Amino acid sequence: MSERRILYFDNAATTYPKPQCVTEAVMRCICEAGGNPGRGSHILALRAAEEIYACREEAASFFGAESAERVVFTLNTTYALNLALKSVLRRGDHVLIGSMEHNAVLRPIRALVETGEISYSVFRARGTEAEILADIRAKICRNTRVLMAAHVPNLANGALPIQQIGALCRERGVLFIVDGAQSAGHLPIDVTKMQIDMLCIPGHKGLYGTQGCGMIVCGSNALTRGQTLVEGGSGMHSIDPFMPTDLPERHEAGTLPTPAIASLAAGIRFVRRQGIDAIHNAECDLWRLLFTELSVMRGVRLYDSTPGSVLLFNFDGISPTEVSDRLNKRGICVRSGYHCAPMAHKTLGSIDTGGVRVSFGAFHTERDVRSLRDAIRAIAHG
Amino acid sequence: MCILTMKSMTGALRAKSALDARGISCTVVNIDPHLTAHGCAYGIRFACANSEKAIEFLAAKGVPYGVLIGGGRR
């Protein structure tokens, strides 16, 4: 299969290929900035620290944060969500989550519920803006401390009205944590305007960096006051037995992945150059093309009619795994199963089988989509 | 040369970025731990003649800073 052209349609898991500027940024970082960032002030340590600071500035500007200090690097979105949540929750708190959440949101919540720390409720994340907001209003209670939800789920395309939810949370004194795993780089996000306390995002999906880093972009001081999740070396205040009190170092114990962070800065610049609207519109066009083709194919079931970057489908009588295996044999990469999102599958009506997910990226063409269509049609015809 | 102590490496780089943009040349340096209350720390070093201008500018931009070392002050 290595001889054949691979058609990659699993960009919701991680984007591929990466832009040339991202590859070059990693190479340059490894070759020229190989010191440990924030650990000493020799030339290579400083170059590494400058790579990281450049990314903080890029991300702060891209997501509307007040300053570079409000960008905290993590391993990935899951780690970011765990840190955001566990740093601010106290025993007896109530948390509100959406009905389309990934396990990165559900499992930390359920773990805290199991130990009796917190309680939680689920609001409807599908429907009209008015329906979603009314349900949230009805479910915020006296001890609700956090509302945590995916801006865009990983199986469908409708975005939550986060600006309105942010305003509601601020009005009711609820911290607003957004899982931006599927929206960062696809839709404009401004943590200040949208009143998002903590935006948790990956570097390696819609921002086109490499795997190895995620981040929390803070729209408020909530994380500054929060408990640490991991403690250790920070390169400063070394005599103190406690972590520093200031962002971002308070929550960045241990060595940061400088090459991944350098790649993320290059990835954000790539998205800026392409234009976030241009990328999104192109993905919507490809989605419409595939949706139109699949909707007339016998035995194909579709679950969402909103254009965007992902399309979930199933075949009558053929398991999702079988479909993805057959596509893989033709050099086409899609993702089958439950996509770590049983809540979303339940909401969409695909919980009994799971599904096959196609997800688009910035480098796809109509020709790619027509090739995918032909392969799916061949499976449909046995 | 004078050194202005900063809360962190990130703070030092933010200050450097702001001062560079203002045309005030500076470098990020490690501060001798015996000069600080908490051990390892960072600062920015610049010509003492620029001290007043640099501090005024950082204050105006809302960039947090610590104390000035050198130039007869500390």
Side-chain angles (χ1 to χ4, degrees):
Chain A
M1 203 170 88
S2 58
E3 299 289 317
R4 188 192 297 164
R5 178 172 175 244
I6 290 176
L7 275 179
Y8 181 82
F9 284 101
D10 197 13
N11 290 277
T14 194
T15 46
Y16 176 87
K18 302 299 182 189
Q20 183 65 26
C21 62
V22 167
T23 309
E24 287 167 2
V26 173
M27 283 289 286
R28 193 198 63 246
C29 182
I30 290 170
C31 295
E32 297 172 15
N36 193 325
R39 309 300 195 268
S41 57
H42 59 73
I43 187 167
L44 289 183
L46 270 181
R47 280 185 191 166
E50 283 165 357
E51 291 282 351
I52 284 171
Y53 184 75
C55 188
R56 287 194 212 281
E57 278 199 320
E58 202 68 62
S61 155
F62 195 69
F63 292 107
E66 188 184 276
S67 69
E69 285 101 322
R70 289 204 168 174
V71 175
V72 175
F73 290 115
T74 61
L75 291 171
N76 47 46
T77 313
T78 298
Y79 190 102
L81 288 162
N82 271 267
L83 170 58
L85 188 70
K86 291 169 182 173
S87 69
V88 298
L89 283 183
R90 297 178 297 227
R91 179 171 275 275
D93 283 342
H94 172 258
V95 178
L96 202 47
I97 65 172
S99 59
M100 294 289 285
E101 300 310 320
H102 189 276
N103 278 341
V105 168
L106 179 64
R107 284 180 172 171
I109 298 284
R110 289 303 298 263
L112 292 167
V113 169
E114 285 302 303
T115 56
E117 296 284 316
I118 63 160
S119 58
Y120 83 108
S121 306
V122 178
F123 69 87
R124 63 178 294 179
R126 304 277 287 169
T128 65
E129 183 181 310
E131 287 168 341
I132 292 168
L133 291 172
D135 199 40
I136 292 172
R137 254 188 219 103
K139 285 174 177 162
I140 290 178
C141 46
R142 182 187 44 78
N143 61 335
T144 304
R145 182 157 179 78
V146 167
L147 187 151
M148 188 177 193
H151 184 191
V152 175
N154 67 338
L155 296 176
N157 296 312
L160 280 181
I162 53 170
Q163 184 147 356
Q164 291 77 0
I165 296 174
L168 177 57
C169 286
R170 197 58 60 91
E171 175 196 317
R172 302 288 292 269
V174 173
L175 292 171
F176 186 27
I177 301 173
V178 172
D179 172 1
Q182 300 300 335
S183 60
H186 294 273
L187 296 174
I189 307 175
D190 185 307
V191 293
T192 305
K193 280 189 197 149
M194 294 171 167
Q195 303 186 72
I196 298 168
D197 290 287
M198 290 177 258
L199 171 68
C200 302
I201 47 180
H204 66 99
K205 297 191 183 189
L207 298 176
Y208 290 89
T210 65
Q211 294 165 23
C213 92
M215 59 186 155
I216 303 178
V217 182
C218 301
S220 75
N221 281 325
L223 194 60
T224 314
R225 298 189 299 267
Q227 292 298 308
T228 52
L229 193 61
V230 174
E231 297 82 22
S234 63
M236 55 185 277
H237 294 189
S238 306
I239 291 172
D240 285 351
F242 304 108
M243 290 300 285
T245 53
D246 295 303
L247 289 185
E249 282 83 357
R250 176 166 178 71
H251 296 289
E252 291 180 346
T255 300
L256 290 173
T258 313
I261 291 170
S263 81
L264 173 54
I268 295 173
R269 288 182 206 116
F270 166 78
V271 172
R272 275 191 201 276
R273 278 196 304 276
Q274 299 293 307
I276 200 163
D277 290 338
I279 292 174
H280 179 67
N281 291 338
E283 288 176 351
C284 285
D285 287 345
L286 296 173
W287 183 96
R288 285 188 195 95
L289 175 61
L290 185 62
F291 183 87
T292 304
E293 297 283 355
L294 293 186
S295 62
V296 295
M297 229 178 260
R298 202 173 51 196
V300 171
R301 183 169 180 200
L302 300 163
Y303 296 89
D304 182 27
S305 57
T306 307
S309 58
V310 304
L311 194 155
L312 184 73
F313 73 95
N314 265 313
F315 268 114
D316 288 341
I318 311 177
S319 77
T321 307
E322 178 69 21
V323 174
S324 69
D325 283 351
R326 290 197 204 172
L327 289 173
N328 188 45
K329 285 182 182 141
R330 292 166 176 267
I332 296 174
C333 306
V334 297
R335 171 104 179 266
S336 65
Y338 286 105
H339 311 88
C340 303
M343 290 183 82
H345 275 290
K346 193 171 176 189
T347 304
L348 293 169
S350 49
I351 191 66
D352 290 338
T353 55
V356 182
R357 183 185 69 187
V358 172
S359 48
F360 302 106
F363 297 104
H364 280 134
T365 62
E366 285 190 12
R367 183 172 164 235
D368 296 334
V369 174
R370 291 189 204 286
S371 298
L372 173 63
R373 173 210 56 195
D374 292 345
I376 294 172
R377 188 180 282 158
I379 293 171
H381 293 163
Chain B
M1 296 296 274
C2 287
I3 294 173
L4 188 61
T5 66
M6 307 301 296
K7 283 185 158 185
S8 63
M9 172 58 90
T10 306
L13 287 166
R14 184 179 169 198
K16 178 175 165 35
S17 172
L19 293 178
D20 282 349
R22 179 71 173 175
I24 301 173
S25 173
C26 65
T27 52
V28 173
V29 293
N30 233 341
I31 294 175
D32 197 333
H34 84 267
L35 294 173
T36 72
H38 306 278
C40 304
Y42 295 93
I44 47 169
R45 183 169 58 197
F46 41 68
C48 290
N50 286 331
S51 298
E52 204 170 320
K53 195 165 54 169
I55 289 172
E56 270 178 22
F57 183 66
L58 293 178
K61 295 289 273 183
V63 180
Y65 57 87
V67 296
L68 187 69
I69 301 171
R73 294 168 69 176
R74 168 71 223 255

